[in-house]
Amino acid sequence: MAGRIMDNWDEIRTAYHVAREGTVSRAADVLGIHHATVIRHIDALEDRLKAKLFQRHARGYTPTEAGNELLRVGQATEEQFAQLESLIHGTSSVVSGELVITSLTEIAPRIVPLLKEFQDLHEGLSLRYLAGDRVFKLEYGEAHIAIRASARKPEEPDNVVQQLCRAEVSLYASKVYLDAHGAPLGLDDLAGHCFVGSADASAGAPYYKWLAGHVEPNQIVFKAGDYQIANAAVRAGVGLGFLAEGAEEYMPELVKIAGPVPDWGASLWLITHMDLHRTAKVQAIAKFLKERLSCD
């Protein structure tokens, strides 16, 4: 079976890109082929494997369980082919191609300048940075590297996990809010002030847990669905809220009220999948980020 599958690598590669991009048209653009060819490759591969790889719907193609397995294998195989080509041509240490990195939105202002610096060092490298609350699946090739926040080291047997640094959090208010309501004198002077909280009652962020234990429920006047909305609400003057330490450096309309408080923060971990950990570009970005964000 393995031999027959590898005889049809073009079809596997096509399906891998559809799984990653989510639509036939985007996969066709990446591969430089006609969208009809993409559909033909997928149909032929599904027929050969006797398995449905995608759920088709109006928004695009969503991988089935079998499709996710193909995504994982396709990612690893494409990277290994690229590595083999580099070895054959004597360029195994060259950092090139696409590099996909994911992290929480909160730390994006800290990460983006570092990615720009890294890209400047490696001509021809294409970076894709995915920031958000979603946990991207490294085993399915959704990203090469994940930067995640956790109080304890993540236990992930198929991944290589390395500690980076602390992600500190402080309490902020906008100048608009302070002009209207005045500033609390400290964490013991929060009565009567408004706060931006989380719309998710089970939000695991330590600062939201602290907030729930230190202010009255009616003081949380705005509940945000994600960090970007909370950020915008604090900047608009809705209430006090938690942002990454140093937010005032790139958002001058903000004033730090308190922090950073150790109980509000978490450790940052650099996570790579074992299948891709030794590739040149993953090794290079991991070394770079550890140098710039080391806990030492």
Side-chain angles (χ1 to χ4, degrees):
M1 173 64 77
R4 291 201 303 272
I5 291 174
M6 291 313 297
D7 286 342
N8 299 279
W9 168 241
D10 284 345
E11 294 169 1
I12 296 173
R13 184 167 180 259
T14 297
Y16 156 64
H17 280 283
V18 171
R20 197 182 72 169
E21 300 297 332
T23 70
V24 167
S25 58
R26 285 204 295 267
D29 288 342
V30 170
L31 293 167
I33 60 179
H34 196 275
H35 73 274
T37 304
V38 173
I39 294 172
R40 186 169 65 252
H41 280 181
I42 292 172
D43 290 344
L45 188 58
E46 287 185 329
D47 182 64
R48 186 170 293 107
L49 295 175
K50 301 296 187 288
K52 193 174 184 64
L53 299 174
F54 298 96
Q55 297 290 343
R56 280 80 161 169
H57 51 76
R59 296 184 306 277
Y61 280 39
T62 300
T64 61
E65 185 175 350
N68 277 325
E69 287 300 320
L70 179 138
L71 180 59
R72 179 183 63 81
V73 172
Q75 167 76 4
T77 305
E78 185 165 83
E79 295 286 349
Q80 287 161 2
F81 275 153
Q83 196 171 18
L84 175 62
E85 185 179 17
S86 295
L87 288 168
I88 291 171
H89 295 288
T91 59
S92 59
S93 62
V94 174
V95 177
S96 60
E98 184 181 58
L99 181 62
V100 185
I101 301 163
T102 176
S103 82
L104 291 170
T105 306
E106 291 92 317
I107 64 170
R110 189 175 182 182
I111 299 299
V112 169
L114 297 179
L115 296 183
K116 195 271 183 187
E117 182 183 348
F118 182 76
Q119 192 168 35
D120 286 346
L121 295 172
H122 301 284
E123 184 178 355
L125 178 68
S126 173
L127 285 176
R128 181 189 295 194
Y129 180 41
L130 308 171
D133 294 333
R134 179 189 165 199
V135 177
F136 289 85
K137 297 178 180 179
L138 302 184
E139 67 272 24
Y140 290 150
E142 293 185 333
H144 293 93
I145 281 190
I147 303 171
R148 296 177 185 160
S150 174
R152 293 186 295 273
K153 183 177 181 179
E155 297 294 333
E156 302 184 1
D158 292 333
N159 292 333
V160 179
V161 180
Q162 302 169 80
Q163 189 170 18
L164 284 176
C165 60
R166 289 279 299 174
E168 301 294 358
V169 175
S170 291
L171 183 65
Y172 287 91
S174 73
K175 294 175 182 177
V176 171
Y177 176 88
L178 298 178
D179 288 343
H181 302 279
L185 301 178
L187 294 180
D188 295 326
D189 184 36
L190 301 179
H193 281 283
C194 300
F195 287 84
V196 175
S198 173
D200 182 0
S202 62
Y207 45 85
Y208 283 139
K209 292 181 179 179
W210 182 93
L211 184 65
H214 288 80
V215 306
E216 296 296 326
N218 62 4
Q219 289 181 256
I220 304 175
V221 301
F222 189 101
K223 296 181 179 180
D226 59 32
Y227 179 80
Q228 291 177 318
I229 296 173
N231 184 319
V234 174
R235 295 173 70 180
V238 173
L240 283 67
F242 299 95
L243 300 175
E245 166 64 15
E248 72 275 22
E249 296 177 10
Y250 55 91
M251 290 182 282
E253 69 272 31
L254 295 180
V255 175
K256 185 192 294 185
I257 303 301
V261 173
D263 288 347
W264 296 348
S267 294
L268 290 182
W269 304 90
L270 183 72
I271 304 174
T272 59
H273 192 268
M274 57 189 298
D275 288 346
L276 304 179
H277 179 68
R278 292 297 177 187
T279 58
K281 59 187 174 185
V282 170
Q283 285 285 298
I285 186 63
K287 181 175 184 291
F288 178 85
L289 290 174
K290 284 190 292 182
E291 289 174 350
R292 297 299 192 275
L293 297 171
S294 174
C295 289
D296 299 333

